[in-house]
């Protein structure tokens, strides 16, 4: 990156990853911080851009603070604004997006001009800094790619596209590709609109996310170690108490995930991704209890069916699939919505992703889930060497850290980047 006067850091993206990075940088000595965002509202990203108050956080309020040393900050923020949510409650995601956006805007107003928000779309990172689509160039000593989730793999049936569900009539049948949290969101939105048709959710395993319980179970320190998937599974099963309450064990594993993931060979990591990852996801990323109750009710009414099967073909008015256990091809008619989550930044048509790859500034992680990085979040170029001054965090690092999409993990990554950027400046 370039050097100029007081070293500037440019953060590309003002979703959760970008806000957490700006907060961490502003808390340490350093030069100006510019956050670039093309969306109308900052702090939203994909996850918190929803306007449906039925879409709840899948983590308790007490875990969602922007500040590690002030765990009750989000709860305090809610109460100051007359928004009731207990520490063990689940706030609407749109409320959390407002919290993030307000924090970034306050930084811009109250940091003595150190932090500013620039509206625009970043399309290139060069030695001169960050180039925007309108031709402006933002000089930068360090650039942080806070990209969040990659663009949808099927934009025409993407549930997050503006007005995507407006085409579905009240009595229309619907087929959801995927049974994860995005599918849950779609069911909740349709139910809120009075949808009376049948919803069929299809995925390879046919597993919905599990549900949190209240009160939350006691967290059990895992003590799990090992370098193979088989070892890890055996130890986790032994850790689950006789009464079968597994949630405390899963929550206790959370701080160890990075250590366990990086302790496995790439071959073992691939084995985990093929055979275990979905089981981990549904147990780790759980639904809020009110959402779980709503889905159970829809299923009892015959308006929601979850199926395990492999997709054969997707049409405008239905899906052909094969049951998990084998059998003839089945066709399920209905309006199709792709809930399989985002695509991948690697190979994306996004202009910035194309430029980064073309310039050799990024390389795929061993699994193609995101970009290869060092332990502290520096990007590794196509020649296998670290790209000085180019950093990333959040979902982009899933292949190298695996558990890297929740606020506590992204917050820790943002802190690590800010410490490195600040210490390098102090040395200089």
């Amino acid at each position: 990156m370039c050097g100029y006067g007081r070293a500037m850091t440019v953060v590309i993206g003002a979703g959760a990853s970008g806000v957490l990075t700006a907060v961490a940088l502003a808390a340490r000595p350093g030069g100006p911080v510019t956050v670039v965002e093309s969306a109308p509202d900052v702090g939203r990203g994909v996850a918190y851009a929803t306007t449906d108050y039925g879409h709840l956080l899948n983590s308790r309020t007490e875990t969602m603070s922007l500040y590690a040393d002030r765990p009750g900050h989000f709860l305090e923020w809610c109460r100051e604004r007359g928004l009731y949510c207990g520490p063990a409650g689940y706030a609407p995601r749109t409320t959390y997006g407002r919290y993030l956006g307000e924090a970034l805007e306050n930084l811009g107003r109250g940091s003595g001009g150190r932090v500013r928000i620039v509206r625009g779309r970043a399309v290139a990172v060069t030695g001169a800094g960050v180039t925007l689509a309108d031709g402006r160039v933002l000089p930068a000593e360090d650039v942080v790619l806070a990209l969040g989730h990659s663009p949808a793999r099927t934009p025409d049936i993407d549930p997050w596209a503006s007005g995507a569900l407006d085409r579905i009539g009240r009595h229309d049948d619907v087929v959801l590709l995927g049974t994860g949290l995005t599918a849950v969101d779609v069911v909740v939105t349709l139910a809120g609109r009075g949808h009376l048709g049948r919803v069929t959710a299809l995925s390879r395993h046919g597993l919905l996310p599990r549900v949190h319980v209240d009160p939350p179970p006691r967290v059990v320190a895992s003590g799990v170690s090992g370098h193979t998937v088989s070892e890890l599974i055996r130890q986790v099963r032994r850790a689950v108490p006789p009464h079968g309450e597994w949630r405390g064990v899963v929550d206790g594993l959370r701080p160890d995930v990075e250590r366990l993931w990086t302790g496995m060979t790439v071959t073992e990591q691939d084995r985990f991704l093929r055979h275990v990852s979905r089981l981990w996801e549904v147990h780790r990323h759980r639904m809020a209890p009110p959402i779980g109750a709503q889905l159970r009710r829809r299923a009892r009414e015959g308006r929601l069916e979850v199926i395990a099967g492999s997709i054969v073909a997707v049409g405008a008015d239905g899906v052909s699939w094969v049951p998990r256990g084998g059998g003839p091809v089945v066709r399920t008619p209905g309006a199709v919505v792709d809930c399989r989550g985002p695509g991948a930044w690697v190979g994306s048509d996004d202009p910035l992703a194309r430029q980064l790859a073309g310039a050799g500034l990024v390389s795929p992680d061993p699994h193609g889930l995101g970009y290869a990085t060092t332990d502290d979040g520096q990007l590794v170029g196509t020649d296998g060497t670290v790209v000085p001054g180019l950093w990333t965090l959040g979902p982009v690092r899933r292949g190298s850290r695996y558990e890297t999409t929740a606020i506590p993990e992204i917050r820790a990554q943002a802190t690590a980047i800010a410490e490195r950027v600040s210490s390098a400046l102090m040395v200089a």
Side-chain angles (χ1 to χ4, degrees), residues 179-196:
T179 58
L181 290 169
T182 300
V184 171
D185 283 344
V186 173
V187 172
V188 168
T189 294
L190 291 175
R193 296 180 177 187
H195 181 255
L196 299 175

Side-chain angles (χ1 to χ4, degrees), residues 259-350:
R259 171 180 60 82
L260 296 172
W261 180 256
T262 57
M264 289 191 287
T265 64
V266 171
T267 300
E268 283 297 317
Q269 291 174 351
D270 277 333
R271 185 172 290 118
F272 178 91
L273 291 171
R274 286 196 309 272
H275 303 297
V276 185
S277 63
R278 184 57 188 155
L279 289 172
W280 169 256
E281 295 293 330
V282 300
H283 289 84
R284 161 68 185 87
H285 299 284
R286 307 191 286 274
M287 291 184 275
I291 301 299
Q294 187 174 356
L295 265 66
R296 287 193 297 272
R297 183 169 62 252
R298 302 285 291 184
R300 285 196 305 269
E301 294 170 349
R303 292 180 181 156
L304 173 63
E305 181 181 15
V306 178
I307 293 174
S310 298
I311 297 169
V312 175
V314 177
D317 58 352
V319 176
S320 298
W321 53 279
V322 176
R324 180 175 172 83
V329 174
V330 179
R331 176 167 173 77
T332 301
V336 180
V337 183
D338 192 347
C339 303
R340 293 173 294 181
W345 283 109
V346 177
S348 168
D349 286 334
D350 177 83

